[in-house]
Amino acid sequence: MVKQKLQEQGFRQENITTETYLNMRYEGTDTAIMVRRQINEGDYAAEFVKLFQQEYGFKLQNRNILICDIRVRGIGVTNILKPQALEPTSGVPKIEGHYKVFFDNGWHNAPLFKLEDLGYGHVMPGPACRNS
């Protein structure tokens, strides 16, 4: 069902993974621990005992382990944010105007460039101003 929901949102089957968790506790206790299924191991009970001892510092002997609930997390991966090659822009960027700016060595007449007019590879002589 998790994979189906992600496919309905536009994720392809090969871009979907799932993680399975069991919320487990010892019989007679109130505190549950969320146990994730380890990739090469399917033994939730052993992982629960290890996590319980890590959290509380002891093991409870001769107690049944109960499963309170099951959770499946679906992960859909997109390639939206993968880097894309940019074509270098040649030429000089268009100057929209000039501003007087002050630096340690005095006043300068700085060119103003609009962000949408700048491309990859443009070089702006400084000092310069950029307006988005």
Side-chain angles (χ1 to χ4, degrees):
M1 183 156 169
V2 171
K3 288 184 178 183
Q4 179 184 348
K5 291 281 186 187
L6 287 169
Q7 286 174 334
E8 289 170 6
Q9 294 176 31
F11 291 96
R12 294 193 314 255
Q13 176 69 31
E14 62 269 15
N15 294 339
I16 298 173
T17 58
T18 60
E19 296 174 350
T20 305
Y21 297 84
L22 297 182
N23 211 11
M24 305 173 80
R25 66 181 175 85
Y26 281 114
E27 188 173 27
T29 64
D30 295 328
T31 306
I33 296 176
M34 189 69 68
V35 179
R36 180 179 172 196
R37 180 174 182 259
Q38 301 305 311
I39 294 172
N40 296 327
E41 304 169 25
D43 191 355
Y44 286 97
E47 184 67 15
F48 169 76
V49 170
K50 182 179 100 181
L51 290 172
F52 188 91
Q53 183 170 9
Q54 191 175 15
E55 181 73 22
Y56 299 105
F58 62 92
K59 292 181 185 178
L60 290 176
Q61 302 295 328
N62 302 320
R63 294 269 186 114
N64 291 327
I65 298 172
L66 305 176
I67 299 171
C68 302
D69 55 66
I70 300 171
R71 184 178 97 185
V72 177
R73 175 189 289 172
I75 303 163
V77 178
T78 65
N79 60 0
I80 292 173
L81 299 178
K82 283 189 178 178
Q84 297 178 3
L86 297 175
E87 292 296 322
T89 305
S90 61
V92 179
K94 179 182 173 188
I95 298 173
E96 291 294 318
H98 288 84
Y99 279 98
K100 283 206 167 274
V101 294
F102 187 82
F103 287 95
D104 289 339
N105 59 350
W107 288 96
H108 297 270
N109 197 22
L112 171 68
F113 299 96
K114 282 191 172 180
L115 183 61
E116 59 264 18
D117 294 337
L118 298 175
Y120 171 70
H122 270 143
V123 176
M124 297 180 296
C129 299
R130 175 193 57 82
N131 186 5
S132 54

